Amino acid sequence: MKAINIISFDVPFPTNYGGVIDVFYKIKSFKEQGIAVHLHCFEYGRGEQQELEKSCASVAYYKRKTGATSFLSSLPYIVKSRVDKQLKTNLLKNDFPILFEGLHTCFLLGDLDLKDRFKIVRNHNIEHHYYQHLAKAEKKSFKKEYFKREAKKLKQFEPILKHANLCLAISENDCNYLTNTYKKNRVIHVPAFHQSNIVTIKKGLGAYALYHGNLSVTENKKAVEYIVSKIYNDIETPLIIAGLNPCKKLIDLIANYPHISLIKNPTNEELDGLIANAQINLLYTEQATGLKLKLLNALYNGRYCIVNSKMTEGTRLNECCIVEDDVIALKKIIKKAIVTPITEKEIEQRNIILNEYYSNSKNIQYLIENITC
């Protein structure tokens, strides 16, 4: 294989949220292996990015069609809004394999004009499970109903995966689901691609704990509310909350606690510094879906990572973290870890696990072998 088409659900730069991180560093990994990437990406606010030209043989942009027409379709909104005739025209200009990033981009997966092409689908989540979780977490009735309807549509659309020659599951749980549901498909587990190549952990003690994430996402809003009101309500050591686009409700909640501070919309460089200098990277989720790339980043570049069990479910990352679900036990762990230097043995254990299962170079070679076999 000398080249590949990649259809991305979004413009994969800047790398400021989970899904595009996987896409961007997968592209870079392909290039490092001498494979030319012809990138096709749907644009809806991030703009054209010159940075992508450095790693791609070509980059084509398609306008995502948001609005009522896509919303009222029998297709899932995330699929219908990414239908574009020019995409098919461009794909037919070559005979390279096609990698569909997410169910979002799979409208053409069963197209008869592409029946002889080698087609790969990267499953970032089991999407109808993810939307069911969003519906459960959402309090606003309109959004809750939208998430429920989208989950139903996604479940109905998902069998299009039968047209894929290869499915790439991002977690072991997702791999098991896809293997059991689509028994005739070839499914392999390929963890997320990411920015780090080696574990770099600062010596000494950090002065604070850190939670980071996209604060406009319901899952992360609920995580912050839980951490602030249930865990750090009576822990007086400093906690920093950092992330994109926090709502007024979160800003007001955090303002009630003098030992908790908020950093809005940090740059990638600022966030890397916050992770590296923290004594504790504290992460929490109520959704055991996909792979949490923010946890992977924290494990490569931060000291202690303290998480609940759903953060690591379906991954090997529990072996690198302190995992605890009980609030009382969690408070005790935080109070101890904030004054305890991380040991060389703990760092070495992390190195071994991350290099074995989450190495970009190993995973891209495994992926290429499965595309060309």
Side-chain angles (χ1 to χ4, degrees):
M1 183 177 71
K2 295 181 179 180
I4 190 168
N5 295 283
I6 295 181
I7 308 173
S8 180
F9 51 88
D10 198 353
V11 178
F13 193 84
T15 52
N16 56 4
Y17 73 90
V20 295
I21 292 171
D22 179 47
V23 177
F24 181 78
Y25 288 102
K26 194 183 301 110
I27 290 168
K28 288 178 72 73
S29 296
F30 272 124
K31 184 186 178 185
E32 288 166 5
Q33 296 298 316
I35 294 172
V37 173
H38 296 277
L39 177 64
H40 309 264
C41 47
F42 286 90
E43 196 282 318
Y44 53 107
R46 290 161 70 84
E48 298 185 8
Q49 299 289 336
Q50 287 190 342
E51 182 67 26
L52 297 172
E53 310 282 346
K54 298 177 184 177
S55 298
C56 298
S58 68
V59 183
Y61 295 90
Y62 311 88
K63 201 70 180 176
R64 187 180 174 199
K65 299 174 181 67
T66 56
T69 303
S70 297
F71 182 75
L72 296 172
S73 170
S74 60
L75 287 171
Y77 180 74
I78 65 171
V79 176
K80 177 64 175 176
S81 59
R82 293 177 173 88
V83 174
D84 193 292
K85 290 180 181 179
Q86 189 60 42
L87 172 60
K88 179 177 174 179
T89 300
N90 288 343
L91 291 172
L92 291 172
K93 290 178 181 177
N94 62 58
D95 61 357
F96 307 135
I98 304 168
L99 171 53
F100 297 79
E101 288 285 351
L103 201 60
H104 315 52
T105 66
C106 285
F107 178 74
L108 292 173
L109 186 59
D111 193 287
L112 289 176
D113 290 331
L114 300 174
K115 64 182 176 61
D116 296 325
R117 302 287 285 276
F118 194 96
K119 299 182 287 290
I120 312 111
V121 177
R122 161 55 115 187
N123 300 91
H124 291 265
N125 279 301
I126 306 304
E127 292 296 341
H128 67 275
H129 290 170
Y130 178 67
Y131 274 79
Q132 285 166 359
H133 282 296
L134 290 178
K136 187 177 179 181
E138 183 57 56
K139 293 177 181 178
K140 294 181 179 178
S141 58
F142 175 78
K143 283 189 175 181
K144 183 182 282 288
E145 186 59 31
Y146 163 70
F147 290 141
K148 285 181 179 179
R149 289 181 60 195
E150 191 75 350
K152 184 178 179 180
K153 291 180 183 180
L154 285 161
K155 188 174 183 179
Q156 292 170 340
F157 181 74
E158 189 187 74
I160 201 169
L161 293 177
K162 293 175 182 178
H163 296 284
N165 300 95
L166 180 66
C167 290
L168 314 178
I170 207 164
S171 72
E172 291 176 357
N173 280 359
D174 290 2
C175 191
N176 291 336
Y177 169 85
L178 292 168
T179 301
N180 292 328
T181 307
Y182 303 101
K183 298 184 187 298
K184 293 183 179 180
N185 280 55
R186 186 150 58 96
V187 180
I188 61 173
H189 174 212
V190 180
F193 291 82
H194 52 89
Q195 70 186 59
S196 303
N197 294 313
I198 56 172
V199 172
T200 55
I201 297 176
K202 285 190 172 184
K203 293 183 178 180
L205 286 169
Y208 57 88
L210 172 72
Y211 173 87
H212 74 280
N214 183 343
L215 301 180
S216 67
V217 174
T218 300
E219 173 190 357
N220 295 337
K221 290 179 189 175
K222 290 179 73 70
V224 171
E225 290 170 1
Y226 181 82
I227 288 169
V228 170
S229 60
K230 301 294 185 183
I231 300 172
Y232 260 80
N233 57 327
D234 59 358
I235 296 178
E236 295 182 358
T237 54
L239 169 67
I240 294 174
I241 309 290
L244 301 175
N245 305 322
C247 63
K248 185 177 185 300
K249 183 180 177 182
L250 281 188
I251 294 170
D252 291 344
L253 174 65
I254 292 166
N256 291 326
Y257 298 87
H259 61 295
I260 303 176
S261 55
L262 173 65
I263 297 179
K264 295 182 281 187
N265 302 313
T267 65
N268 285 353
E269 293 74 18
E270 288 170 333
L271 185 58
D272 288 344
L274 288 168
I275 291 169
N277 291 311
Q279 178 62 11
I280 296 169
N281 280 275
L282 179 63
L283 293 168
Y284 175 87
T285 185
E286 294 182 357
Q287 294 183 213
T289 54
L291 171 67
K292 311 300 183 186
L293 267 159
K294 59 188 174 186
L295 173 57
L296 201 55
N297 189 20
L299 285 168
Y300 269 96
N301 302 294
R303 297 185 180 99
Y304 287 111
C305 290
I306 301 176
V307 304
N308 67 324
S309 58
K310 287 184 179 179
M311 278 297 303
T312 61
E313 193 172 307
T315 74
R316 303 295 179 100
L317 298 178
N318 61 305
E319 300 173 49
C320 305
C321 301
I322 300 172
V323 182
E324 183 55 65
D325 291 323
D326 180 76
V327 173
I328 295 172
L330 199 53
K331 290 174 185 281
K332 291 178 182 178
I333 289 167
I334 291 169
K335 288 174 182 177
K336 181 179 179 182
I338 201 74
V339 295
T340 306
I342 192 167
T343 67
E344 290 294 333
K345 184 178 179 180
E346 289 169 311
I347 295 171
E348 181 57 29
Q349 171 73 0
R350 197 181 292 186
N351 245 321
I352 291 168
I353 296 295
L354 294 177
N355 186 56
E356 178 67 22
Y357 298 106
Y358 298 96
S359 162
N360 284 347
S361 59
K362 286 184 179 180
N363 287 330
I364 198 66
Q365 288 168 22
Y366 177 57
L367 173 53
I368 292 167
E369 288 168 7
N370 277 275
I371 295 173
T372 55
C373 69

